[in-house]
Amino acid sequence: MVLLADLTQDEMIAWVTARGLPAYRGRQLYAAVFRRLATSFDELTDLPRDLRTEVAQEASLVPLVVQQRHRDEQAETEKALFRLADGALVEGVLMDYPGERGGGRHTVCLSTQVGCALGCRFCATGLQGWTRDLSPGEIAAQVLHFERVLRARGARVTNVVYMGMGEPLLPYENTLASMRLLTDPHGFGLGQRHVTISTAGIVPGIRRLAHEGLQVGLAVSIHAATDEARSALMPLNRRYGLDELLDACREYVELTHRRITFECTLIGGVNDGPDDARALAERLRGLLCHVNIIPWNRVDEIPFQPSSRARVTAFRDVLAAAGLPVTVRDTRGSAIQAACGQLKTAATRARRASLRPLPVVMA
């Protein structure tokens, strides 16, 4: 069956006209998916009943259902574990940042792959391995879900970050297609400047993205300032070392004139010392960038410890003293396992426990 959320408006029009329907029916379907956020063909009351039945036999509206939903009211964070049509599980997170007079930001962190092949040593998703890439509609549908949640509260999604499960620049075409669906003014209508695509350092993808003429943000996970230290945390560094990665980042800045965000997850006793901070400052000197320090979220299966608040502060101060713009990311949602891959890992662990044979007790 065709997933309607995979289709652009032009593709939707082509799909309906191939079935002998007028073009405006395609525009109606597109609006139903990306503006009205329909979850059932019964909601498409602007279509004749027999046409709704016909379309429902060949197409699907919603590619995912919520298997688990957790909200941390104190952290104003909500996480969903989505089940896809083939039974695969992915995660999405909604983070609320209240502002004055009921405004504020509402950011969705979405996934692009089922699992991840990169195997970063500190990441829960890396424990799962890679199963498959998500389609453009499966990626975009995570945002549509949280938009429904927000509309019920009189709000809407203001920002999208591609920082969930998977490496966004590996399924490059699907990632960009989903971004274009979400930023299409005829559809969902999010501004490109409200979108950030993150990467662990896929150098060809960074160079390709630099030539797209987009207004999206780029975030690069750096995490260490030497090849030895970064390779120990991120096996990808053995393929694309720091010199090659930073050359690609400089090319990106030169072509786009846009600042890069470097993400640095701090792990206690691993990469959070003052020498680590000074080495990072030296690596990034002269590059148009911002550093976002991320205190590591504990994962039961990974034998690391989070950095202390004092070491995080000292690391930040070294970077700031070197003239680098630097912030420390809020640690949100630890009570609901909001870090990348944690909820699926927990669900998989619970399922395996439920399937474990019971011990035989002799009478």
Side-chain angles (χ1 to χ4, degrees):
M1 295 184 70
V2 172
L3 172 58
L4 294 181
D6 276 336
L7 305 182
T8 65
Q9 181 169 260
D10 287 344
E11 290 168 340
M12 199 91 72
I13 290 170
W15 187 78
V16 300
T17 55
R19 284 151 182 78
L21 299 171
Y24 75 88
R25 294 300 189 194
R27 288 189 287 272
Q28 287 176 318
L29 280 175
Y30 188 73
V33 174
F34 290 104
R35 285 188 176 272
R36 291 159 51 194
L37 311 180
T39 58
S40 167
F41 286 104
D42 291 336
E43 299 174 38
L44 310 188
T45 54
D46 52 347
L47 299 182
R49 186 184 300 274
D50 58 346
L51 181 54
R52 278 180 266 161
T53 301
E54 179 184 341
V55 173
Q57 291 173 347
E58 297 189 48
S60 61
L61 270 176
V62 180
L64 46 79
V65 296
V66 178
Q67 178 158 310
Q68 293 182 31
R69 175 180 173 271
H70 302 272
R71 182 161 182 88
D72 184 341
E73 293 293 348
Q74 185 174 359
E76 298 179 292
T77 301
E78 180 173 324
K79 186 163 193 175
L81 181 66
F82 299 112
R83 188 177 74 252
L84 305 174
D86 61 357
L89 301 176
V90 295
E91 303 172 3
V93 182
L94 170 65
M95 295 165 284
D96 297 323
Y97 301 88
E100 297 179 359
R101 298 185 295 278
R105 291 183 293 119
H106 304 280
T107 299
V108 173
C109 177
L110 50 72
S111 297
T112 54
Q113 296 179 304
V114 180
C116 184
L118 299 187
C120 297
R121 305 303 185 211
F122 51 86
C123 178
T125 304
L127 299 172
Q128 301 165 15
W130 174 87
T131 301
R132 68 173 178 88
D133 299 336
L134 299 189
S135 75
E138 289 174 325
I139 298 170
Q142 299 165 60
V143 178
L144 303 185
H145 163 76
F146 286 117
E147 177 73 358
R148 294 184 195 101
V149 171
L150 288 169
R151 284 191 187 181
R153 292 160 29 192
R156 72 157 299 173
V157 172
T158 61
N159 298 80
V160 169
V161 294
Y162 285 72
M163 297 181 181
M165 294 171 59
E167 163 53 55
L169 293 188
L170 285 179
Y172 184 93
E173 299 290 352
N174 290 2
T175 292
L176 259 65
S178 70
M179 181 277 299
R180 290 190 167 102
L181 288 169
L182 293 170
T183 58
D184 181 4
H186 300 293
F188 192 73
L190 188 68
Q192 285 191 9
R193 289 179 179 268
H194 295 270
V195 175
T196 299
I197 296 175
S198 179
T199 179
I202 305 296
V203 167
I206 294 171
R207 295 189 187 280
R208 187 175 175 186
L209 191 64
H211 292 269
E212 294 282 357
L214 300 172
Q215 295 295 307
V216 300
L218 175 65
V220 176
S221 298
I222 192 163
H223 306 312
T226 67
D227 282 318
E228 180 182 5
R230 193 167 187 264
S231 294
L233 292 172
M234 305 175 70
L236 178 67
N237 192 74
R238 300 188 190 108
R239 182 170 183 181
Y240 303 116
L242 278 166
D243 287 343
E244 187 177 1
L245 172 61
L246 292 175
D247 281 347
C249 290
R250 292 185 185 94
E251 179 183 337
Y252 179 89
V253 170
E254 182 179 348
L255 290 172
T256 66
H257 309 290
R258 296 187 62 79
R259 182 178 72 171
I260 292 177
T261 295
F262 286 100
E263 298 168 311
C264 187
T265 298
L266 293 190
I267 303 167
V270 175
N271 64 342
D272 64 344
D275 288 343
D276 299 305
R278 282 189 284 270
L280 183 60
E282 184 59 33
R283 276 281 188 183
L284 301 182
R285 190 181 306 278
L287 184 58
L288 180 62
C289 68
H290 170 266
V291 179
N292 190 17
I293 296 173
I294 307 170
W296 183 68
N297 249 343
R298 189 187 304 272
V299 178
D300 290 342
E301 291 82 359
I302 298 176
F304 286 145
Q305 295 296 320
S307 294
S308 68
R309 183 173 299 181
R311 287 178 77 85
V312 170
T313 300
F315 196 99
R316 179 202 65 193
D317 290 347
V318 169
L319 296 182
L324 286 172
V326 56
T327 53
V328 178
R329 181 185 293 179
D330 288 342
T331 52
R332 286 172 159 250
S334 58
I336 58 171
Q337 298 178 310
C340 175
Q342 282 187 297
L343 195 56
K344 181 186 174 184
T345 298
T348 302
R349 183 172 60 241
R351 182 177 181 276
R352 286 173 179 165
S354 71
L355 297 175
R356 192 175 298 140
L358 294 175
V360 176
V361 179
M362 302 301 292

